[in-house]
Amino acid sequence: MMRTKGKIFMGTLILAAFCLAGCSSGEEGGSGKREETQKKESSADLKQFTDEIGSIWNESWEAKRSDGEGTINVNLKAHIEVQKLKQMSSVEVQTYACSEQNKRKMAETVFDSWVDLYDEKHLPKFEIRERIDAWRKVESSEQKAVRKLEGEKGSQVGFDLHKENLREAREMVAKYERLLKKAPEDYTPAEGNFTGNEYIGKRDGIRYRMSFEPDGAGGFESINIFAQDAEVYPDGAKGEEDPSYMEYTFITQADENQCSIEKGDAEKAARQFLQKIGFTDLLLAEETVLEWRDPEAPVNAGSDATFVDGWQFVFSPGAEDAAFSDYEDFAGLSGVTVSGRSLQPDCRITVDVTDHGVIRAKLCSPATVISSVPGVKLLPLEDIKNVIRKELAVFLEKRRAGSESYDHLELGYYPVSDPERWDRHTYLPVWSLWSENVFCTFLVNAVDGSVIDLLPEWGS
């Protein structure tokens, strides 16, 4: 998890939120500009940055390396970006723990009748036979493709791809044939056994599946809940176990929606579902329509193979009308793995609603809000610049970088871990200095001017 220089506690955040003036770690550094703005105080009003928004911070400097071997060159042509918010907050959240207790609670809440194990070792014979048949079809298709491309000039890439697919299909057939020998005739009731990560059960007479994906650090990377029975899917999308659809379609297509439920009622149903499973006080981050694709349509059918039926809502913890999921790529961390651990800065929940109600939900890095301090005071931008002038070269040297150029300085939210509790972190207002061409994103706490170590393992 990410760590700051110094421990982050809510008490210090509250103190920072109400103090009359901030104290920057770059107060003694820089090019003398700190003295010019010495009387400027921290403020909770983001209007303090009005004059700087949209401007370019154009500055370069050179710093000697600590070992005396050469220098580090920093080049800034950074566009200053601040979202249209009146003020910002600090919000402490707690990771939804990956525990048998939480799995049981989630399963017993989502399913209203029976709950069965659904991991591969507990699949019934008839389901395993279905999977064998499906993989044999893939095997046959890939075998034909390999024979067709074998020996053809200029087709090596395609040949290798189909050959790899064929190998995988044969391995899957062999695996399920082994499982078939010891498979039960029917589903195995959970009966309090929630050590696994795959379950199936009924809700409102419809079979639903639930899968948990642990993040390896004590929480969940994601929790997926979706309807197993094809009857809840639109007629044009039936024919597959898990019909595909494009998740992000602009809401302007609502007039084409075949779903009879109105958007407002659909959102209400989504929120009621989330409240039932224990997630409340979330902000609506996105609202889209569900666009489905007919699996029987030709691959080149394009938009003629798609239709709109249903609504999709993305919810997230947030503050001051700013959803934290909007900052998923704020520091360029989405999908990054450090020390075998996937870093997911955001915690979004996606819910799909049709005339059958909630048919699917995906909880990414789920967490719940513990406390919030609204309207925290932020340091003047010149203080932040002084921190960057003083600390950036040190940061780059630790990461064995040489000359670096940055083109964005952006104010947003970033989750900082609590060094005392693995399952808690605080979303703080943070300045991010970054570039699409530089991975070494530099983060500065906008409240107290401390440098946030983006990836502490790099410096070890």
Side-chain angles (χ1 to χ4, degrees), residues 97-113:
C98 178
S99 64
E100 291 182 42
Q101 180 181 358
N102 278 341
K103 290 179 186 179
R104 179 185 295 106
K105 178 181 177 182
M106 184 76 72
E108 291 176 349
T109 301
V110 171
F111 304 129
D112 56 23
S113 55

PDB file of all heavy atoms in Angstrom, residues 97-113:
ATOM      1  N   ALA A  97     -13.170  -6.410   4.232  1.00  0.00           N
ATOM      2  CA  ALA A  97     -12.221  -7.485   4.489  1.00  0.00           C
ATOM      3  C   ALA A  97     -12.601  -8.780   3.785  1.00  0.00           C
ATOM      4  O   ALA A  97     -13.781  -9.153   3.713  1.00  0.00           O
ATOM      5  CB  ALA A  97     -12.108  -7.731   5.992  1.00  0.00           C
ATOM      6  N   CYS A  98     -11.605  -9.469   3.279  1.00  0.00           N
ATOM      7  CA  CYS A  98     -11.797 -10.775   2.654  1.00  0.00           C
ATOM      8  C   CYS A  98     -11.836 -11.823   3.769  1.00  0.00           C
ATOM      9  O   CYS A  98     -10.806 -12.349   4.185  1.00  0.00           O
ATOM     10  CB  CYS A  98     -10.650 -11.064   1.686  1.00  0.00           C
ATOM     11  SG  CYS A  98     -10.765 -12.686   0.892  1.00  0.00           S
ATOM     12  N   SER A  99     -13.032 -12.085   4.248  1.00  0.00           N
ATOM     13  CA  SER A  99     -13.195 -13.014   5.371  1.00  0.00           C
ATOM     14  C   SER A  99     -14.381 -13.928   5.108  1.00  0.00           C
ATOM     15  O   SER A  99     -15.280 -13.605   4.321  1.00  0.00           O
ATOM     16  CB  SER A  99     -13.438 -12.241   6.677  1.00  0.00           C
ATOM     17  OG  SER A  99     -14.661 -11.525   6.617  1.00  0.00           O
ATOM     18  N   GLU A 100     -14.365 -15.079   5.765  1.00  0.00           N
ATOM     19  CA  GLU A 100     -15.493 -16.007   5.645  1.00  0.00           C
ATOM     20  C   GLU A 100     -16.779 -15.350   6.133  1.00  0.00           C
ATOM     21  O   GLU A 100     -17.859 -15.567   5.576  1.00  0.00           O
ATOM     22  CB  GLU A 100     -15.210 -17.282   6.437  1.00  0.00           C
ATOM     23  CG  GLU A 100     -14.102 -18.145   5.857  1.00  0.00           C
ATOM     24  CD  GLU A 100     -13.909 -19.417   6.648  1.00  0.00           C
ATOM     25  OE1 GLU A 100     -14.917 -20.035   7.039  1.00  0.00           O
ATOM     26  OE2 GLU A 100     -12.742 -19.792   6.887  1.00  0.00           O
ATOM     27  N   GLN A 101     -16.656 -14.535   7.174  1.00  0.00           N
ATOM     28  CA  GLN A 101     -17.829 -13.866   7.731  1.00  0.00           C
ATOM     29  C   GLN A 101     -18.473 -12.939   6.696  1.00  0.00           C
ATOM     30  O   GLN A 101     -19.695 -12.942   6.526  1.00  0.00           O
ATOM     31  CB  GLN A 101     -17.432 -13.080   8.970  1.00  0.00           C
ATOM     32  CG  GLN A 101     -18.601 -12.342   9.623  1.00  0.00           C
ATOM     33  CD  GLN A 101     -18.165 -11.550  10.853  1.00  0.00           C
ATOM     34  OE1 GLN A 101     -16.998 -11.575  11.236  1.00  0.00           O
ATOM     35  NE2 GLN A 101     -19.105 -10.854  11.463  1.00  0.00           N
ATOM     36  N   ASN A 102     -17.662 -12.157   5.989  1.00  0.00           N
ATOM     37  CA  ASN A 102     -18.214 -11.240   4.994  1.00  0.00           C
ATOM     38  C   ASN A 102     -18.753 -11.979   3.775  1.00  0.00           C
ATOM     39  O   ASN A 102     -19.744 -11.565   3.176  1.00  0.00           O
ATOM     40  CB  ASN A 102     -17.151 -10.228   4.569  1.00  0.00           C
ATOM     41  CG  ASN A 102     -17.042  -9.068   5.544  1.00  0.00           C
ATOM     42  OD1 ASN A 102     -17.946  -8.815   6.331  1.00  0.00           O
ATOM     43  ND2 ASN A 102     -15.923  -8.365   5.508  1.00  0.00           N
ATOM     44  N   LYS A 103     -18.109 -13.080   3.393  1.00  0.00           N
ATOM     45  CA  LYS A 103     -18.629 -13.888   2.286  1.00  0.00           C
ATOM     46  C   LYS A 103     -19.997 -14.456   2.642  1.00  0.00           C
ATOM     47  O   LYS A 103     -20.935 -14.435   1.839  1.00  0.00           O
ATOM     48  CB  LYS A 103     -17.662 -15.018   1.956  1.00  0.00           C
ATOM     49  CG  LYS A 103     -16.356 -14.583   1.321  1.00  0.00           C
ATOM     50  CD  LYS A 103     -15.478 -15.799   1.081  1.00  0.00           C
ATOM     51  CE  LYS A 103     -14.103 -15.417   0.587  1.00  0.00           C
ATOM     52  NZ  LYS A 103     -13.233 -16.598   0.386  1.00  0.00           N
ATOM     53  N   ARG A 104     -20.101 -14.978   3.867  1.00  0.00           N
ATOM     54  CA  ARG A 104     -21.376 -15.535   4.325  1.00  0.00           C
ATOM     55  C   ARG A 104     -22.457 -14.454   4.369  1.00  0.00           C
ATOM     56  O   ARG A 104     -23.577 -14.658   3.884  1.00  0.00           O
ATOM     57  CB  ARG A 104     -21.221 -16.165   5.705  1.00  0.00           C
ATOM     58  CG  ARG A 104     -22.525 -16.756   6.258  1.00  0.00           C
ATOM     59  CD  ARG A 104     -22.371 -17.256   7.681  1.00  0.00           C
ATOM     60  NE  ARG A 104     -21.447 -18.372   7.756  1.00  0.00           N
ATOM     61  CZ  ARG A 104     -20.216 -18.308   8.243  1.00  0.00           C
ATOM     62  NH1 ARG A 104     -19.754 -17.136   8.713  1.00  0.00           N
ATOM     63  NH2 ARG A 104     -19.449 -19.358   8.276  1.00  0.00           N
ATOM     64  N   LYS A 105     -22.102 -13.296   4.913  1.00  0.00           N
ATOM     65  CA  LYS A 105     -23.057 -12.199   5.026  1.00  0.00           C
ATOM     66  C   LYS A 105     -23.541 -11.755   3.651  1.00  0.00           C
ATOM     67  O   LYS A 105     -24.737 -11.548   3.438  1.00  0.00           O
ATOM     68  CB  LYS A 105     -22.406 -11.024   5.758  1.00  0.00           C
ATOM     69  CG  LYS A 105     -23.300  -9.803   5.896  1.00  0.00           C
ATOM     70  CD  LYS A 105     -22.557  -8.672   6.606  1.00  0.00           C
ATOM     71  CE  LYS A 105     -23.411  -7.415   6.681  1.00  0.00           C
ATOM     72  NZ  LYS A 105     -22.674  -6.295   7.338  1.00  0.00           N
ATOM     73  N   MET A 106     -22.603 -11.633   2.700  1.00  0.00           N
ATOM     74  CA  MET A 106     -22.969 -11.216   1.356  1.00  0.00           C
ATOM     75  C   MET A 106     -23.863 -12.256   0.677  1.00  0.00           C
ATOM     76  O   MET A 106     -24.883 -11.925   0.072  1.00  0.00           O
ATOM     77  CB  MET A 106     -21.701 -11.002   0.534  1.00  0.00           C
ATOM     78  CG  MET A 106     -21.940 -10.477  -0.877  1.00  0.00           C
ATOM     79  SD  MET A 106     -22.356  -8.723  -0.943  1.00  0.00           S
ATOM     80  CE  MET A 106     -20.793  -7.961  -0.538  1.00  0.00           C
ATOM     81  N   ALA A 107     -23.488 -13.521   0.792  1.00  0.00           N
ATOM     82  CA  ALA A 107     -24.256 -14.589   0.151  1.00  0.00           C
ATOM     83  C   ALA A 107     -25.658 -14.697   0.736  1.00  0.00           C
ATOM     84  O   ALA A 107     -26.651 -14.807   0.004  1.00  0.00           O
ATOM     85  CB  ALA A 107     -23.522 -15.922   0.295  1.00  0.00           C
ATOM     86  N   GLU A 108     -25.758 -14.640   2.056  1.00  0.00           N
ATOM     87  CA  GLU A 108     -27.061 -14.779   2.699  1.00  0.00           C
ATOM     88  C   GLU A 108     -27.950 -13.563   2.444  1.00  0.00           C
ATOM     89  O   GLU A 108     -29.167 -13.647   2.547  1.00  0.00           O
ATOM     90  CB  GLU A 108     -26.864 -14.999   4.200  1.00  0.00           C
ATOM     91  CG  GLU A 108     -26.232 -16.359   4.519  1.00  0.00           C
ATOM     92  CD  GLU A 108     -25.937 -16.537   6.003  1.00  0.00           C
ATOM     93  OE1 GLU A 108     -26.037 -15.524   6.744  1.00  0.00           O
ATOM     94  OE2 GLU A 108     -25.599 -17.668   6.421  1.00  0.00           O
ATOM     95  N   THR A 109     -27.341 -12.430   2.115  1.00  0.00           N
ATOM     96  CA  THR A 109     -28.119 -11.235   1.808  1.00  0.00           C
ATOM     97  C   THR A 109     -28.597 -11.239   0.372  1.00  0.00           C
ATOM     98  O   THR A 109     -29.742 -10.891   0.078  1.00  0.00           O
ATOM     99  CB  THR A 109     -27.273  -9.964   2.059  1.00  0.00           C
ATOM    100  OG1 THR A 109     -26.855  -9.954   3.419  1.00  0.00           O
ATOM    101  CG2 THR A 109     -28.085  -8.709   1.785  1.00  0.00           C
ATOM    102  N   VAL A 110     -27.723 -11.641  -0.546  1.00  0.00           N
ATOM    103  CA  VAL A 110     -28.067 -11.634  -1.975  1.00  0.00           C
ATOM    104  C   VAL A 110     -29.036 -12.749  -2.322  1.00  0.00           C
ATOM    105  O   VAL A 110     -30.021 -12.551  -3.027  1.00  0.00           O
ATOM    106  CB  VAL A 110     -26.789 -11.755  -2.831  1.00  0.00           C
ATOM    107  CG1 VAL A 110     -27.147 -11.978  -4.302  1.00  0.00           C
ATOM    108  CG2 VAL A 110     -25.946 -10.498  -2.692  1.00  0.00           C
ATOM    109  N   PHE A 111     -28.777 -13.958  -1.826  1.00  0.00           N
ATOM    110  CA  PHE A 111     -29.624 -15.107  -2.137  1.00  0.00           C
ATOM    111  C   PHE A 111     -30.739 -15.222  -1.109  1.00  0.00           C
ATOM    112  O   PHE A 111     -30.512 -15.058   0.087  1.00  0.00           O
ATOM    113  CB  PHE A 111     -28.801 -16.389  -2.155  1.00  0.00           C
ATOM    114  CG  PHE A 111     -27.628 -16.348  -3.100  1.00  0.00           C
ATOM    115  CD1 PHE A 111     -26.354 -16.684  -2.678  1.00  0.00           C
ATOM    116  CD2 PHE A 111     -27.803 -15.963  -4.412  1.00  0.00           C
ATOM    117  CE1 PHE A 111     -25.278 -16.646  -3.542  1.00  0.00           C
ATOM    118  CE2 PHE A 111     -26.733 -15.917  -5.301  1.00  0.00           C
ATOM    119  CZ  PHE A 111     -25.466 -16.253  -4.863  1.00  0.00           C
ATOM    120  N   ASP A 112     -31.927 -15.524  -1.581  1.00  0.00           N
ATOM    121  CA  ASP A 112     -33.053 -15.596  -0.641  1.00  0.00           C
ATOM    122  C   ASP A 112     -33.533 -17.021  -0.390  1.00  0.00           C
ATOM    123  O   ASP A 112     -34.481 -17.233   0.361  1.00  0.00           O
ATOM    124  CB  ASP A 112     -34.221 -14.732  -1.130  1.00  0.00           C
ATOM    125  CG  ASP A 112     -34.693 -15.095  -2.527  1.00  0.00           C
ATOM    126  OD1 ASP A 112     -34.457 -16.238  -2.962  1.00  0.00           O
ATOM    127  OD2 ASP A 112     -35.291 -14.222  -3.196  1.00  0.00           O
ATOM    128  N   SER A 113     -32.912 -18.029  -1.012  1.00  0.00           N
ATOM    129  CA  SER A 113     -33.318 -19.403  -0.718  1.00  0.00           C
ATOM    130  C   SER A 113     -32.093 -20.246  -0.428  1.00  0.00           C
ATOM    131  O   SER A 113     -31.548 -20.186   0.663  1.00  0.00           O
ATOM    132  CB  SER A 113     -34.143 -19.990  -1.877  1.00  0.00           C
ATOM    133  OG  SER A 113     -33.438 -19.901  -3.109  1.00  0.00           O
TER     134      SER A 113
END
